[in-house]
């Protein structure tokens, strides 16, 4: 399903997922969801969204993946680290696993990226996974 920017709440997503039989939920930017609770600062609303996504995933036993932007310093970093997360650092603490996708322009053109495990509740963190990418087929393979 597709929803206009800032219109879908976590509760609405949870209801939609509960009515379907899916193995994975992909959210194109949790940052673009609408918080059910209005807060004075948007970063606090973002915390509510990510906590809600984690709850829905646990309640419905389905993984939820979402992308999150880097801050300005992160756009120039060779490897995006937790301190390079935009808007609210809490999203790293809330998620079960946080992975940054990293590449230079040259690596992108050559079909290479590095995945960096920033944080993980399920295993080790702080390491890179070198990958090759077939952009046309949307395939990522560890090398």
């Amino acid at each position: 399903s597709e929803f206009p920017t800032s219109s879908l709440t976590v509760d609405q997503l949870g209801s939609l997922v509960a009515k379907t039989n899916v193995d994975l939920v992909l959210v194109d930017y949790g940052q673009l969801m609408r918080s059910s609770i209005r807060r004075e600062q948007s970063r606090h609303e973002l915390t509510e969204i990510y906590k809600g996504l984690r709850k829905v995933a646990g309640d419905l036993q389905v993984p939820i993946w979402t992308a999150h932007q880097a801050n300005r310093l992160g756009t120039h970093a060779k490897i995006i680290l937790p301190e390079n997360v935009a808007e609210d650092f809490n999203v790293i603490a809330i998620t079960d696993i946080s992975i940054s996708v990293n590449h230079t322009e040259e690596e992108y053109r050559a079909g290479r990226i590095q995945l960096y495990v920033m944080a993980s509740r399920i295993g080790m963190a702080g390491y890179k996974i070198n990958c090759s990418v077939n952009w046309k087929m949307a395939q990522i393979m560890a090398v």
Side-chain angles (χ1 to χ4, degrees), residues 12 15 26 32 50 54 56 62 65 67 73 76 86 88 99 104 115 120 125 127 138 143:
Q12 291 168 328
S15 294
L26 300 174
L32 298 181
Y50 275 74
R54 188 164 192 268
V56 167
V62 61
W65 292 6
L73 292 175
H76 301 294
D88 185 13
I99 299 172
T104 63
L115 302 178
S120 175
Y127 64 95
V143 292

Short mmCIF file of all heavy atoms in Angstrom, two decimals, residues 12 15 26 32 50 54 56 62 65 67 73 76 86 88 99 104 115 120 125 127 138 143:
data_model
loop_
_atom_site.label_atom_id
_atom_site.label_comp_id
_atom_site.label_asym_id
_atom_site.label_seq_id
_atom_site.Cartn_x
_atom_site.Cartn_y
_atom_site.Cartn_z
N GLN A 12 -2.30 2.77 12.26
CA GLN A 12 -2.88 2.41 10.96
C GLN A 12 -2.05 1.34 10.27
O GLN A 12 -2.60 0.40 9.69
CB GLN A 12 -3.00 3.65 10.08
CG GLN A 12 -4.03 4.65 10.55
CD GLN A 12 -3.92 5.98 9.81
OE1 GLN A 12 -2.83 6.41 9.42
NE2 GLN A 12 -5.06 6.64 9.62
N SER A 15 -2.74 -2.01 11.92
CA SER A 15 -4.03 -2.57 11.49
C SER A 15 -3.93 -3.17 10.11
O SER A 15 -4.47 -4.26 9.84
CB SER A 15 -5.11 -1.48 11.50
OG SER A 15 -5.36 -1.05 12.81
N LEU A 26 8.17 -3.21 4.73
CA LEU A 26 9.14 -2.17 4.37
C LEU A 26 8.45 -0.82 4.48
O LEU A 26 7.43 -0.58 3.82
CB LEU A 26 9.65 -2.38 2.94
CG LEU A 26 10.35 -3.69 2.67
CD1 LEU A 26 10.67 -3.83 1.19
CD2 LEU A 26 11.61 -3.81 3.51
N LEU A 32 8.85 9.85 7.78
CA LEU A 32 7.75 10.48 7.05
C LEU A 32 6.38 10.02 7.53
O LEU A 32 5.36 10.42 6.97
CB LEU A 32 7.89 10.21 5.55
CG LEU A 32 9.15 10.78 4.90
CD1 LEU A 32 9.17 10.47 3.42
CD2 LEU A 32 9.25 12.28 5.14
N TYR A 50 9.17 5.39 16.12
CA TYR A 50 10.06 4.23 16.12
C TYR A 50 9.71 3.25 17.24
O TYR A 50 9.78 2.03 17.05
CB TYR A 50 11.52 4.66 16.18
CG TYR A 50 12.07 4.97 14.81
CD1 TYR A 50 11.72 6.13 14.13
CD2 TYR A 50 12.91 4.08 14.17
CE1 TYR A 50 12.20 6.40 12.87
CE2 TYR A 50 13.40 4.33 12.90
CZ TYR A 50 13.04 5.50 12.26
OH TYR A 50 13.51 5.74 11.00
N ARG A 54 8.50 -0.65 16.52
CA ARG A 54 9.10 -1.80 17.22
C ARG A 54 8.01 -2.62 17.92
O ARG A 54 8.03 -3.85 17.91
CB ARG A 54 10.14 -1.32 18.23
CG ARG A 54 10.93 -2.44 18.84
CD ARG A 54 12.18 -1.90 19.52
NE ARG A 54 13.05 -2.99 19.84
CZ ARG A 54 13.03 -3.62 21.02
NH1 ARG A 54 12.19 -3.26 21.95
NH2 ARG A 54 13.86 -4.61 21.25
N VAL A 56 4.74 -2.82 17.05
CA VAL A 56 3.96 -3.52 16.03
C VAL A 56 4.72 -4.75 15.54
O VAL A 56 4.15 -5.83 15.41
CB VAL A 56 3.62 -2.58 14.84
CG1 VAL A 56 3.08 -3.36 13.65
CG2 VAL A 56 2.62 -1.52 15.28
N VAL A 62 6.48 -9.80 12.91
CA VAL A 62 6.91 -9.56 11.54
C VAL A 62 8.01 -8.47 11.58
O VAL A 62 7.86 -7.47 12.28
CB VAL A 62 5.74 -9.14 10.61
CG1 VAL A 62 5.09 -7.86 11.08
CG2 VAL A 62 6.18 -9.01 9.17
N TRP A 65 11.34 -3.07 8.41
CA TRP A 65 12.56 -2.38 7.99
C TRP A 65 12.19 -0.99 7.53
O TRP A 65 11.19 -0.79 6.83
CB TRP A 65 13.21 -3.11 6.82
CG TRP A 65 13.80 -4.45 7.13
CD1 TRP A 65 13.73 -5.14 8.30
CD2 TRP A 65 14.56 -5.25 6.23
NE1 TRP A 65 14.38 -6.33 8.18
CE2 TRP A 65 14.91 -6.43 6.92
CE3 TRP A 65 14.97 -5.09 4.92
CZ2 TRP A 65 15.65 -7.43 6.34
CZ3 TRP A 65 15.72 -6.11 4.35
CH2 TRP A 65 16.05 -7.25 5.05
N ALA A 67 14.18 2.96 6.34
CA ALA A 67 15.39 3.75 6.11
C ALA A 67 15.34 4.99 7.00
O ALA A 67 14.27 5.41 7.44
CB ALA A 67 15.46 4.18 4.64
N LEU A 73 26.79 15.99 8.80
CA LEU A 73 28.14 15.44 8.95
C LEU A 73 28.22 14.04 8.34
O LEU A 73 29.24 13.66 7.78
CB LEU A 73 28.54 15.39 10.43
CG LEU A 73 28.76 16.73 11.12
CD1 LEU A 73 29.03 16.53 12.60
CD2 LEU A 73 29.90 17.48 10.46
N HIS A 76 29.20 13.43 4.62
CA HIS A 76 30.62 13.50 4.24
C HIS A 76 31.44 12.38 4.88
O HIS A 76 32.65 12.30 4.66
CB HIS A 76 31.21 14.85 4.62
CG HIS A 76 30.51 16.01 3.98
ND1 HIS A 76 30.52 16.23 2.63
CD2 HIS A 76 29.73 16.97 4.51
CE1 HIS A 76 29.80 17.30 2.34
NE2 HIS A 76 29.30 17.77 3.46
N ALA A 86 20.30 11.37 11.60
CA ALA A 86 19.60 12.66 11.57
C ALA A 86 18.49 12.72 12.60
O ALA A 86 17.88 11.71 12.94
CB ALA A 86 19.03 12.90 10.18
N ASP A 88 17.16 12.41 15.50
CA ASP A 88 17.03 11.86 16.84
C ASP A 88 17.89 10.61 17.01
O ASP A 88 17.60 9.56 16.43
CB ASP A 88 15.56 11.52 17.13
CG ASP A 88 15.34 11.04 18.56
OD1 ASP A 88 16.25 11.18 19.40
OD2 ASP A 88 14.26 10.51 18.83
N ILE A 99 21.83 -0.57 10.54
CA ILE A 99 22.89 -0.78 9.56
C ILE A 99 22.96 0.42 8.64
O ILE A 99 21.94 0.85 8.10
CB ILE A 99 22.61 -2.05 8.72
CG1 ILE A 99 22.55 -3.28 9.64
CG2 ILE A 99 23.64 -2.23 7.62
CD1 ILE A 99 22.09 -4.54 8.97
N THR A 104 31.37 5.40 -1.83
CA THR A 104 31.80 6.61 -2.52
C THR A 104 31.13 6.60 -3.89
O THR A 104 30.53 5.60 -4.29
CB THR A 104 33.34 6.62 -2.71
OG1 THR A 104 33.68 5.50 -3.55
CG2 THR A 104 34.07 6.53 -1.38
N LEU A 115 28.20 -2.30 4.17
CA LEU A 115 27.17 -2.22 5.20
C LEU A 115 27.92 -2.15 6.53
O LEU A 115 28.87 -2.91 6.76
CB LEU A 115 26.27 -3.44 5.16
CG LEU A 115 25.55 -3.71 3.84
CD1 LEU A 115 24.72 -4.99 3.95
CD2 LEU A 115 24.69 -2.53 3.44
N SER A 120 23.28 -3.47 17.47
CA SER A 120 22.53 -4.72 17.31
C SER A 120 22.17 -5.30 18.67
O SER A 120 23.04 -5.43 19.53
CB SER A 120 23.35 -5.73 16.52
OG SER A 120 22.67 -6.96 16.46
N ALA A 125 28.15 -5.77 16.97
CA ALA A 125 28.02 -4.50 16.25
C ALA A 125 29.41 -3.92 16.04
O ALA A 125 30.39 -4.39 16.60
CB ALA A 125 27.14 -3.54 17.03
N TYR A 127 31.01 -3.45 12.90
CA TYR A 127 31.83 -4.06 11.85
C TYR A 127 31.21 -3.80 10.48
O TYR A 127 30.03 -3.52 10.36
CB TYR A 127 32.01 -5.57 12.09
CG TYR A 127 30.74 -6.38 12.01
CD1 TYR A 127 30.36 -7.00 10.83
CD2 TYR A 127 29.93 -6.52 13.12
CE1 TYR A 127 29.20 -7.75 10.76
CE2 TYR A 127 28.77 -7.27 13.07
CZ TYR A 127 28.40 -7.87 11.89
OH TYR A 127 27.25 -8.60 11.82
N ALA A 138 18.52 -5.16 -8.30
CA ALA A 138 18.30 -4.86 -6.88
C ALA A 138 18.81 -5.99 -5.99
O ALA A 138 18.15 -6.44 -5.08
CB ALA A 138 16.84 -4.55 -6.60
N VAL A 143 30.65 -10.06 -0.10
CA VAL A 143 31.84 -10.61 -0.77
C VAL A 143 32.91 -10.94 0.25
O VAL A 143 32.92 -10.48 1.33
CB VAL A 143 32.40 -9.65 -1.84
CG1 VAL A 143 31.44 -9.54 -2.99
CG2 VAL A 143 32.72 -8.30 -1.26
#
